[in-house]
Amino acid sequence: MSEAEPVPVPEALNATDSNGTEALNATAKFVATPEGTALAYGSLVLMALLPIFFGALRSVSCSKSKNSSDAPETITSRDAARFPIIASCTLFGLYLFFKVFSQEYINLLLSVYFFVLGVLALSHTMSPLMTRIFPASFPNKQYQLLFTQGSGESKEDIINYEFDTKTLVCLLISSVVGVWYLLKKHWIANNLFGLAFALNGVELLHLNNVSTGCILLGGLFVYDVFWVFGTNVMVTVAKSFEAPIKLVFPQDLLEKGLEASNFAMLGLGDIVIPGIFIALLLRFDVSLKKNSRTYFYSSFLAYIFGLGLTIFVMHTFKHAQPALLYLVPACIGFPVLVALFKGELTEMFRYEEASEEAESKEDSESEKKDQ
């Protein structure tokens, strides 16, 4: 989901009678204080920045990793051009599902699905931290989960997952969070999973060059504007979809504490999509070998500016805003202006990241030459 919007209390979502007056009255019961609103929006901005910053840093080491489980997924220009179309079909399909089928059963199915994904994502996020916490004397045993098809020379690996004791500890902690989310749907559990999804997305989804990033961001710019301003589809799905695909923070936290229920929200798409572009610019900075992070910091500051502008416009006009409308021009425009000023625009657009297949091909060719 790609819009930032205050979310009404749950009672308002369910109280839709024939004339709609109950829903209107339920929504009007709570008016956020300036302090509560500032706390909610400030927290959303901070939560959006964390996965972008740390995900971008981890993407640098991820691109150099030889471990297949940490191998990034490379997005090509063809993938980028298709993505807005696929996203639109998925979004409209979900909208129709919520119109035709019971929202309760759909969300139950989605909860189980995102429980599994969330546990794996949170475990992967925690793994580097656990490596530092555990002492060197910790008995870290190695395990392998292997599932094959066929026999003899035709045997093919379906699942080949290598892990260790530290990974099992991470999975156990993540499972506790997952059960908490399944049973309570608490906003903190939702945010833990959401942050893990966002960080993993920024870390493991790699654009192969800046042009691909411009195609992806440009296409999703149109997608976001159309589905938020042109229809009610995006907002309807975002409110109906009970899954950790958005970060939320209560505007009534100061009044109701952890049981607060009037949320402001930010879709993970507004974090991951600009985030993978910012991570690409960090890897470009590293490739320049100038001990400088100019493009990373300029794009990171551009993201803060764009997100702040989104919140300002949304708060001023009291209407859901397509965040990419403000984020895309900022995240592309700022680094391009910096590159023009430094005379490195051509070099920036020529920067290319090899895909995993291309790298393995190069490695095999170099091995043959050595032999």
Side-chain angles (χ1 to χ4, degrees), residues 113-130:
Y113 175 69
F114 279 99
F115 164 78
V116 176
L117 290 183
V119 167
L120 294 174
L122 190 57
S123 174
H124 182 267
T125 302
M126 293 169 54
S127 185
L129 179 64
M130 287 297 173

Side-chain angles (χ1 to χ4, degrees), residues 242-292:
E242 290 183 8
I245 57 163
K246 54 186 179 260
L247 298 180
V248 299
F249 199 90
Q251 299 182 72
D252 52 346
L253 181 69
L254 299 176
E255 291 82 10
K256 298 183 180 179
L258 295 179
E259 299 305 315
S261 57
N262 189 283
F263 296 101
M265 72 177 180
L266 181 68
L268 294 189
D270 300 325
I271 302 170
V272 176
I273 300 304
I276 60 177
F277 186 73
I278 294 169
L280 171 68
L281 292 176
L282 175 59
R283 298 192 297 274
F284 171 61
D285 276 324
V286 172
S287 73
L288 293 176
K289 298 178 181 178
K290 293 182 179 180
N291 199 25
S292 170

Side-chain angles (χ1 to χ4, degrees), residues 47-333:
M47 285 193 291
L49 296 178
L50 290 175
I52 292 178
F53 187 84
F54 290 105
L57 292 177
R58 286 173 60 159
S59 77
V60 176
S61 56
C62 172
S63 62
K64 300 173 183 176
S65 176
K66 299 297 180 183
N67 190 343
S68 58
S69 63
D70 293 331
E73 183 72 27
T74 303
I75 300 173
T76 64
S77 57
R78 181 178 293 183
D79 298 327
R82 290 174 179 171
F83 195 84
I85 300 171
I86 296 170
S88 294
C89 293
T90 304
L91 180 67
F92 192 64
L94 284 170
Y95 176 78
L96 293 178
F97 262 94
F98 281 116
K99 288 293 182 183
V100 175
F101 300 103
S102 169
Q103 181 176 321
E104 181 183 352
Y105 293 118
I106 296 173
N107 281 318
L108 179 63
L109 182 64
L110 290 172
S111 294
V112 175
Y113 175 69
F114 279 99
F115 164 78
V116 176
L117 290 183
V119 167
L120 294 174
L122 190 57
S123 174
H124 182 267
T125 302
M126 293 169 54
S127 185
L129 179 64
M130 287 297 173
T131 303
R132 295 177 182 178
I133 290 175
F134 283 108
S137 58
F138 181 79
N140 192 33
K141 295 182 180 180
Q142 300 294 318
Y143 302 93
Q144 184 179 24
L145 181 64
L146 184 62
F147 185 68
T148 61
Q149 182 180 15
S151 60
E153 294 181 359
S154 62
K155 183 183 287 186
E156 182 182 357
D157 289 355
I158 306 279
I159 299 174
N160 188 357
Y161 182 63
E162 296 180 0
F163 56 99
D164 54 24
T165 309
K166 293 175 184 176
T167 307
L168 287 176
V169 173
C170 292
L171 285 170
L172 180 62
I173 296 172
S174 302
S175 297
V176 172
V177 176
V179 171
W180 182 26
Y181 172 76
L182 271 182
L183 296 178
K184 299 294 184 180
K185 291 291 191 300
H186 199 276
W187 60 273
I188 294 179
N190 172 90
N191 287 348
L192 288 174
F193 274 171
L195 288 168
F197 286 140
L199 191 144
N200 279 275
V202 175
E203 177 189 358
L204 298 174
L205 292 175
H206 286 200
L207 296 163
N208 65 346
N209 56 49
V210 173
S211 297
T212 299
C214 292
I215 293 170
L216 179 65
L217 267 65
L220 289 175
F221 172 91
V222 176
Y223 157 89
D224 215 14
V225 171
F226 172 77
W227 289 111
V228 174
F229 283 153
T231 70
N232 69 336
V233 172
M234 179 82 78
V235 176
T236 302
V237 172
K239 289 178 179 178
S240 306
F241 205 82
E242 290 183 8
I245 57 163
K246 54 186 179 260
L247 298 180
V248 299
F249 199 90
Q251 299 182 72
D252 52 346
L253 181 69
L254 299 176
E255 291 82 10
K256 298 183 180 179
L258 295 179
E259 299 305 315
S261 57
N262 189 283
F263 296 101
M265 72 177 180
L266 181 68
L268 294 189
D270 300 325
I271 302 170
V272 176
I273 300 304
I276 60 177
F277 186 73
I278 294 169
L280 171 68
L281 292 176
L282 175 59
R283 298 192 297 274
F284 171 61
D285 276 324
V286 172
S287 73
L288 293 176
K289 298 178 181 178
K290 293 182 179 180
N291 199 25
S292 170
R293 300 293 181 265
T294 306
Y295 295 101
F296 170 64
Y297 288 127
S298 64
S299 57
F300 192 72
L301 289 173
Y303 181 84
I304 297 173
F305 170 78
L307 191 55
L309 185 60
T310 305
I311 292 171
F312 172 77
V313 174
M314 182 184 67
H315 187 67
T316 302
F317 293 99
K318 309 296 182 186
H319 189 276
Q321 295 296 313
L324 294 181
L325 173 64
Y326 309 96
L327 291 172
V328 169
C331 290
I332 294 177

